[in-house]
Amino acid sequence: MTATLVGSGLTARFGGREVFADLDIGVDAGSVTGVVGHSGSGKTTLLRILAGLTEPAAGRVEQRGVERRPGTIGLLAQHPRGVANPRWTLRRAVAEPATIARRNCDVEQIAARVGLDPALLDRFPAQVSDGQLQRACVGRLLVQAPRFVLCDEPTAMLDPVSARAVIGLLQELVDDGAGMVLVSHQRRLVDARCRDVVDLDVR
């Protein structure tokens, strides 16, 4: 059976306002599903529901064809400062998935892959730029190697050259069999990378 992340009949509400309702979404291993919509349409909320960080008002999320375990789902946030532990160095943040799994991790090699100067690894989030912090978050994702990757505007903090490099790295995860949900305001990117697209504006 193909590993699949499925959200069925998902409904989200904030302050009595319905953000989206009866939404179905799915992503198979080795494929990319895009999510587009205007600001406030619920794109980030949808990712948080799929990640298990927010409970939907209705509906359910299932992982099919895969053993559910810690680290199965990886989330790459649009604003890395909102998720980074300010008391951890970048080195510790990148290596944490390997530490939890009790396996070795060459953090310097991972930093080189994501274009992060290894000299920055012993700095804290407040001591690096948003783009450098986002690169560290991508490195952490590579170490985690999740079955499903949820990306919320993953290139928003990056310059065009860095953005292309990060998209290439995320594609490597897909090529290795991960399923990806990609939220982006760049419709060209979504159309080029995604097999299926969920448009929250037309529901």
Side-chain angles (χ1 to χ4, degrees), residues 25-95:
I25 184 172
V27 58
D28 294 330
S31 70
V32 186
T33 295
V35 178
V36 297
H38 69 276
S39 178
S41 61
K43 301 186 297 296
T44 297
T45 297
L46 176 58
L47 288 194
R48 289 183 58 82
I49 289 173
L50 292 175
L53 300 175
T54 298
E55 285 293 322
R60 64 179 182 174
V61 176
E62 299 176 274
Q63 294 182 43
R64 300 175 181 169
V66 59
E67 179 183 353
R68 193 173 187 121
R69 56 173 174 75
T72 301
I73 295 178
L75 178 63
L76 186 60
Q78 177 180 359
H79 301 291
R81 296 196 187 280
V83 296
N85 189 325
R87 295 182 294 277
W88 286 9
T89 63
L90 301 193
R91 182 184 301 276
R92 181 176 178 183
V94 170

Side-chain angles (χ1 to χ4, degrees), residues 90-103:
L90 301 193
R91 182 184 301 276
R92 181 176 178 183
V94 170
E96 189 203 18
T99 301
I100 292 173
R102 297 183 179 179
R103 55 182 170 81

